[in-house]
Amino acid sequence: QMHLVESGGGLVQAGGSLRLSCTSSGRISSYAMGWFRQAPGKEREFVAAINWNGVRTFYTDSVKGRFTISRDNAKSTVTLLMNSLKPEDTAVYYCAVATSSDTVLKFVLEDEYDYWGQGTQVTVSS
């Protein structure tokens, strides 16, 4: 069992930045990590993912060039740096762990992720 805790959410004005962190109670060094978000009234959607060693990263189109995912396996932490935030980025952000091998992952599907955090609220005001 793996317990994930997100932090770093909050209220920010459009154009601002936030850094989300996700810390795991267990080792994540062999696993892909992802960030998803769910806006009010919408389904949860993929935001970003990173493979086990950080060599491969994936982003949904709407955040490319603005968000950066990174990881520190020694600290069992994954970070999402969010710049140039827009009101449409407002959502609850969740981190997740995928324990399957990179060779079988598409990285963008919720069903691929086995453990989830409770989420952290990000609100971007216009």
Side-chain angles (χ1 to χ4, degrees), residues 10 14 17 21 32 41-42 51 54 69 78 80 82 87 96 100 109:
S17 299
S21 293
K42 295 187 177 181
N51 81 319
I69 188 171
V78 62
L80 185 67
M82 306 185 296
S100 298
L109 303 176

Side-chain angles (χ1 to χ4, degrees), residues 3-6 22 44 93-97 115-120:
H3 183 57
L4 305 175
V5 177
E6 301 97 336
C22 173
R44 189 156 58 184
Y93 283 70
Y94 300 89
C95 73
V97 177
Y115 300 98
W116 293 80
Q118 293 299 307
T120 185

Side-chain angles (χ1 to χ4, degrees), residues 1 12 14 22 33-34 46-47 55 63 75 78-79 95 100-101 114 116-117 121:
Q1 190 71 18
V12 64
C22 173
M33 301 290 293
F46 169 77
V47 176
V55 170
V63 309
K75 296 182 179 179
V78 62
T79 298
C95 73
S100 298
S101 168
D114 305 291
W116 293 80
Q121 177 70 47

